[in-house]
Structure formats: C-alpha cells, structure tokens
Amino acid sequence: MKKILKRLYHKLQWINSIKKIDFIYYNYLCKRVLRDKEVYIIPYKGAIIDIHRTAKIELHGQNLNIGINKIGKSRAETYVKMEKEAYWKCNNGASLCYGGNIEIHDNGCLETNSFFLNVGSVIIATKRIELGEDVWIGRDCVIYDSDFHWMLDENGNVRNVSKPVKVGNHVWLTNHVMVQKGVEIGANVVICPHTIVRKNISEGKMIASGTTQICVADDIKWSSELI
C-alpha cells in the first residue's frame, strides 16, 4: 500500500510540474507536431514554445522534455522557437534544462538524437545542425551555424556564409564552449571549458584552447542585416 501511495504521490508531483494545457495542445491538437505513439512533448512550467504555422517537429523514440531541473519556486524559462518552414527531427528524446534556448530560423533544420542541454545553453540553426546520439551540452554552451550578419570583403562579396554543423555520437561539450559554423565534431570527443571550436575535430579527441587573441582578418566590413 505504501509503495502505491508513494508512486501516486510522485505522479501527482509530476502532473503539477508541467503545463497541462500546453501538454494537451502540442501532443493532441497541434498539427505541426508529428509524434510516435506514446512519445510526447513534456512542457514543464516555464517552457515557452513558439512554433510557426508552417514549421514542423517530429518526435521519435522518446519524449522531448522542455524546462527540467528548475529550482523550487523559480520562474526561469526555457525557450523553443521555430520560424517559417523550420524543421526539427528529434530522435530518441531530449532534455532541455531551465534557461536553455533552441531556435530554428526560417527554413532551418535541426536533427537531433538523444541529447541533454544544460542551463543557459543555446542552439540556433539557420541552415542545418545535426547532433548525434548521447550528446551532452554543459552550461552556457553555444552552437551556431551562422554569424547572423553579413561581413563583406574589400570587393563587397559576402565572406561569412552560413555552413552546417555536425556533432557526432557520445560528445561532451563541458561548459562555456562555442561551436561555430561549418564545424564537424567526430564521435567520442570531449571539449574542455572555454573552448571556441573553429575547425573540425576527429574522433576520440579531448580539445582545449587558451585565451590568446589573434587577428584573423583585416579591413572587415559588416552589416546589421540578417542573413
């Protein structure tokens, strides 16, 4: 009897921790969400979900948990924003901690396998970002596939076009890691804190970088217009 009551108590706690109206809407009423049977979007309190009417999200395998691990009576929010024609294929589930942010811009694509997004981390896809199986993203990490604003060379040509990002299986971005556009990270890789990943990383590496400041280009012209 005690075990039954304990399970019931934990079940009621879980029900009280989620946004019930959003749960019903995104899992049963929203035509933009395509999901396997018994696979759900779980919007915890503080989850802010904005899916454009032309965007689409597919869920396969396991639940997508949005806004987990919130502390006590905290009002911290977790954001998922999908703009025009955006697409997210979520395989084998994901867990987004409070304070996390995922954005998929117009015509952008995000394809993920099981991953964990810790507090304060951000993924923004304007072109295409892929995450492999068992990817752990620590606190305050950033994954971008774009610089978001044009930069022009001396001839007026764009020098910083958006490029896809691919992260392999079993990768750990520890904390304060930035993964920049065009990067491919192989399987079984650890990226140490405060590292900026600018180049491809092969399988089985542990990568760290210092804080040396270097000049990477001269005579830069940039625009506030969005890419």
Side-chain angles (χ1 to χ4, degrees), residues 6-106:
K6 187 175 182 180
R7 284 197 298 268
L8 179 60
Y9 172 74
H10 288 303
K11 186 69 173 179
L12 290 172
Q13 275 193 320
W14 178 82
I15 291 172
N16 188 54
S17 70
I18 69 171
K19 298 175 75 173
K20 290 173 275 296
I21 293 176
D22 282 8
F23 178 86
I24 293 169
Y25 174 71
Y26 286 110
N27 290 297
Y28 296 103
L29 303 176
C30 182
K31 295 180 179 179
R32 291 156 287 174
V33 177
L34 307 175
R35 60 184 183 83
D36 292 346
K37 186 177 180 180
E38 304 299 327
V39 176
Y40 302 98
I41 292 178
I42 311 294
Y44 287 83
K45 290 180 179 178
I48 307 297
I49 304 171
D50 181 3
I51 304 177
H52 189 270
R53 59 183 175 80
T54 62
K56 183 171 68 174
I57 180 169
E58 291 187 25
L59 303 178
H60 303 288
Q62 295 185 45
N63 296 337
L64 169 56
N65 300 287
I66 303 174
I68 66 168
N69 292 353
K70 199 161 65 172
I71 300 170
K73 298 180 180 180
S74 167
R75 296 183 180 180
E77 296 177 337
T78 310
Y79 303 101
V80 172
K81 182 178 182 181
M82 301 177 66
E83 298 181 353
K84 295 177 183 178
E85 303 293 340
Y87 174 64
W88 182 3
K89 186 176 184 179
C90 183
N91 299 308
N92 298 325
S95 293
L96 282 54
C97 284
Y98 67 93
N101 184 6
I102 289 182
E103 296 181 21
I104 310 174
H105 290 187
D106 293 354

Side-chain angles (χ1 to χ4, degrees), residues 56-195:
K56 183 171 68 174
I57 180 169
E58 291 187 25
L59 303 178
H60 303 288
Q62 295 185 45
N63 296 337
L64 169 56
N65 300 287
I66 303 174
I68 66 168
N69 292 353
K70 199 161 65 172
I71 300 170
K73 298 180 180 180
S74 167
R75 296 183 180 180
E77 296 177 337
T78 310
Y79 303 101
V80 172
K81 182 178 182 181
M82 301 177 66
E83 298 181 353
K84 295 177 183 178
E85 303 293 340
Y87 174 64
W88 182 3
K89 186 176 184 179
C90 183
N91 299 308
N92 298 325
S95 293
L96 282 54
C97 284
Y98 67 93
N101 184 6
I102 289 182
E103 296 181 21
I104 310 174
H105 290 187
D106 293 354
N107 301 299
C109 176
L110 177 62
E111 183 168 347
T112 62
N113 293 280
S114 63
F115 78 100
F116 177 88
L117 188 79
N118 213 330
V119 179
S121 288
V122 178
I123 298 173
I124 301 182
T126 66
K127 190 177 184 69
R128 183 178 181 85
I129 294 176
E130 295 181 46
L131 302 182
E133 194 77 31
D134 191 35
V135 172
W136 291 80
I137 302 172
R139 290 181 179 240
D140 300 307
C141 294
V142 173
I143 302 176
Y144 291 162
D145 65 358
S146 174
D147 296 328
F148 306 107
H149 303 281
W150 299 117
M151 286 191 288
L152 308 176
D153 63 20
E154 61 275 11
N155 298 316
N157 299 314
V158 177
R159 62 186 302 163
N160 64 325
V161 295
S162 300
K163 298 178 181 178
V165 170
K166 186 174 183 179
V167 179
N169 297 331
H170 191 55
V171 169
W172 178 21
L173 312 181
T174 53
N175 66 77
H176 296 87
V177 172
M178 173 176 279
V179 178
Q180 296 189 327
K181 68 181 192 296
V183 166
E184 291 192 16
I185 299 175
N188 193 32
V189 165
V190 175
I191 312 294
C192 294
H194 299 279
T195 297

